[in-house]
Amino acid sequence: MKYDRVITGIFESRPNRFIAMAEITDPDTGNVYVCKCHVKNTMQCNELLNRGRIPE
């Protein structure tokens, strides 16, 4: 699957295996939002998804 628009955010939490909450900065306005995001890989990802981590 290819995604047309990918935005980098800061991981906040993972309510379930398909959803993550991330802090996103709007590139147009500079406003910061906490958004619900799709988790493509539904494995645990504990080593990757730590609060405050910015993905590489």
Side-chain angles (χ1 to χ4, degrees), residues 10-13 21 23 46 48-54:
I10 299 172
F11 177 77
E12 289 290 322
S13 65
M21 302 301 288
E23 185 179 290
N46 291 334
L48 300 175
L49 299 177
N50 295 314
R51 185 178 173 91
R53 183 176 187 278
I54 300 172

Side-chain angles (χ1 to χ4, degrees), residues 35-55:
C35 299
K36 189 184 296 184
C37 307
H38 174 254
V39 177
K40 183 177 177 180
N41 183 346
T42 61
M43 296 172 62
Q44 286 191 359
C45 302
N46 291 334
E47 66 280 359
L48 300 175
L49 299 177
N50 295 314
R51 185 178 173 91
R53 183 176 187 278
I54 300 172

Side-chain angles (χ1 to χ4, degrees), residues 1-14:
M1 176 182 274
K2 291 185 178 183
Y3 293 94
D4 295 329
R5 185 173 181 208
V6 177
I7 299 171
T8 301
I10 299 172
F11 177 77
E12 289 290 322
S13 65
R14 190 169 178 189

